[in-house]
Amino acid sequence: MPTALRAPAAFLVRRGGERLLFDCAEGTQRQLQRSSVGLPDLEEIFLTHLHADHFLGLPGMLKTFALRGREEPGLTVYGPSGLRVLFSKLKPFLGRLPFPLTTVELAPGEVLERGDYRIETFAVDHGVAAVGYALVENERPGRFDVEAADALGVPPGSERGQLQRGEPVTLAGGAVVAPDAVLGPARPGRKIVLTGDTAPAPSVVQAAYGADVLVHEATFANEEKERARETLHATAAEAAEVARLAEVRLLALTHVSTRYFGSELAREAREIFPETVVPRDFDVVEVPFPERGAPELVKGGARSEATEPV
Ligand SMILES: [Zn+2]
Ligand SMILES: [Zn+2]
């Protein structure tokens, strides 16, 4: 539940010009407005499950988009089985929306292909219909070796672009240059995995394998391990064990019970998995391409003047 300093679950993924929202708890639109991001005309919202602390922000946000007079673009809400029933119940309260609203139910193991990356759903263990989400970028072509291209006599210009896209070119003299001759090894893309609410689960370890960032819930500390089992949530140490087994680069713990500040959870998790952070509201996790460094928590990275108390 929310506290004076923490809002319930919502994560915005910014990738290039795209803005993807994962979960939309009560107050999400206002937290976005208070941040340096603002409230963009989101086109896609992904719900992990239909517990109230993960979707209650949606009706208000949809009404705001309506009041802004949004007709385009449309909005698609993805979520587990039960999403359509939820929206049919919300409909009388939402009234007419001037923009197209689509709901898409997803089962674990589905893949949404989208050009240079994909979103995969996976099973979690929370006792209700629920999916985790993995955003997985395609491999990128290797680095272009200018010296090699010069040596092979590839003229500067469109031929080099062609090679960079992985297509062979035929030079004026008739010689064929293969892309391999001027490109380094393919470079991995990035992978971000969001679990939503879950007890520690092998399916999460598998889905998160090699991720740059694993956003895992850690509702409880060790002292409440029993309660974590009963409620199908995770402790910080359990989330850390998942991160260790999955060999991720950074673990971000969220969904922290109001009993904890975050620092005690970080301490317990780091004994098992040192690269753990517990982001606060308005923090940002930067995820560079692997060759450019490790993912990093930027404290207050999305703070703005509106974030500060008056
Ligand atoms: Zn839940
Ligand atoms: Zn929850």
Side-chain angles (χ1 to χ4, degrees), residues 88-102:
S88 67
K89 296 200 165 142
L90 286 174
K91 208 166 187 299
F93 306 102
L94 290 173
R96 206 192 77 82
L97 297 172
F99 54 89
L101 177 70
T102 313

Side-chain angles (χ1 to χ4, degrees), residues 172-204:
V176 176
V177 179
D180 286 0
V182 293
L183 293 181
R187 292 172 290 177
R190 295 164 292 188
K191 177 171 170 179
I192 299 169
V193 175
L194 302 109
T195 64
D197 293 4
T198 184
S203 58
V204 175

Side-chain angles (χ1 to χ4, degrees), residues 111-134:
V111 179
L112 305 174
E113 288 290 351
R114 31 201 24 204
D116 56 350
Y117 72 100
R118 62 191 183 275
I119 292 175
E120 302 173 353
T121 57
F122 59 90
V124 299
D125 182 10
H126 192 46
V128 295
V131 286
Y133 293 98

Side-chain angles (χ1 to χ4, degrees), residues 15-310:
R15 180 181 179 276
E18 283 185 288
R19 304 285 178 267
L20 308 177
L21 184 67
F22 291 86
D23 282 335
C24 188
E26 172 191 348
T28 298
Q29 60 168 331
R30 192 144 184 276
Q31 290 294 86
L32 281 167
Q33 284 165 343
R34 292 175 68 207
S35 78
S36 59
V37 178
L39 177 60
D41 273 343
L42 296 164
E43 293 174 41
E44 293 180 298
I45 298 175
F46 300 83
L47 301 180
T48 57
H49 65 301
L50 305 178
H51 280 158
D53 59 320
H54 294 256
F55 79 82
L56 273 186
L58 256 182
M61 188 184 279
L62 297 179
K63 289 309 280 182
T64 297
F65 291 147
L67 288 166
R68 283 180 183 176
R70 168 174 172 176
E71 291 178 358
E72 292 290 332
L75 171 67
T76 305
V77 180
Y78 300 88
S81 135
L83 184 72
R84 287 218 187 83
V85 172
L86 173 70
F87 269 82
S88 67
K89 296 200 165 142
L90 286 174
K91 208 166 187 299
F93 306 102
L94 290 173
R96 206 192 77 82
L97 297 172
F99 54 89
L101 177 70
T102 313
T103 51
V104 178
E105 292 191 353
L106 297 171
E110 291 201 51
V111 179
L112 305 174
E113 288 290 351
R114 31 201 24 204
D116 56 350
Y117 72 100
R118 62 191 183 275
I119 292 175
E120 302 173 353
T121 57
F122 59 90
V124 299
D125 182 10
H126 192 46
V128 295
V131 286
Y133 293 98
L135 190 158
V136 186
E137 288 181 333
N138 298 348
E139 279 193 333
R140 294 161 298 141
R143 202 179 294 285
F144 191 82
D145 186 340
V146 177
E147 281 176 21
D150 288 345
L152 288 165
V154 181
S158 64
E159 286 90 344
R160 294 193 177 200
Q162 231 171 300
L163 286 164
Q164 222 149 4
R165 287 192 300 274
E167 300 158 17
V169 298
T170 307
L171 301 180
V176 176
V177 179
D180 286 0
V182 293
L183 293 181
R187 292 172 290 177
R190 295 164 292 188
K191 177 171 170 179
I192 299 169
V193 175
L194 302 109
T195 64
D197 293 4
T198 184
S203 58
V204 175
V205 174
Q206 195 184 335
Y209 196 79
D212 292 273
V213 180
L214 169 62
V215 181
H216 198 295
E217 74 125 290
T219 311
F220 300 113
N222 275 332
E223 60 180 17
E224 288 192 282
K225 191 166 178 171
E226 292 286 299
R227 210 167 148 218
R229 279 300 63 72
E230 284 160 19
T231 56
L232 293 170
H233 284 292
T235 67
E238 289 168 337
E241 182 62 12
V242 169
R244 192 184 69 79
L245 292 170
E247 299 183 32
V248 306
R249 299 177 85 201
L250 181 74
L251 170 65
L253 299 179
T254 60
H255 204 271
V256 173
S257 156
T258 51
R259 287 186 58 157
Y260 305 109
F261 293 103
S263 49
E264 63 282 72
L265 298 182
R267 215 175 308 119
E268 289 182 4
R270 282 178 192 142
E271 282 177 22
I272 295 161
F273 191 78
E275 298 305 318
T276 301
V277 294
V278 186
R280 294 168 170 246
D281 292 25
F282 308 113
D283 283 356
V284 169
V285 176
E286 293 280 0
V287 191
F289 285 117
E291 70 271 15
R292 294 197 195 142
E296 196 183 355
L297 179 72
V298 183
K299 286 187 179 163
R303 283 190 164 273
S304 74
E305 268 172 39
T307 316
E308 310 305 332
V310 230

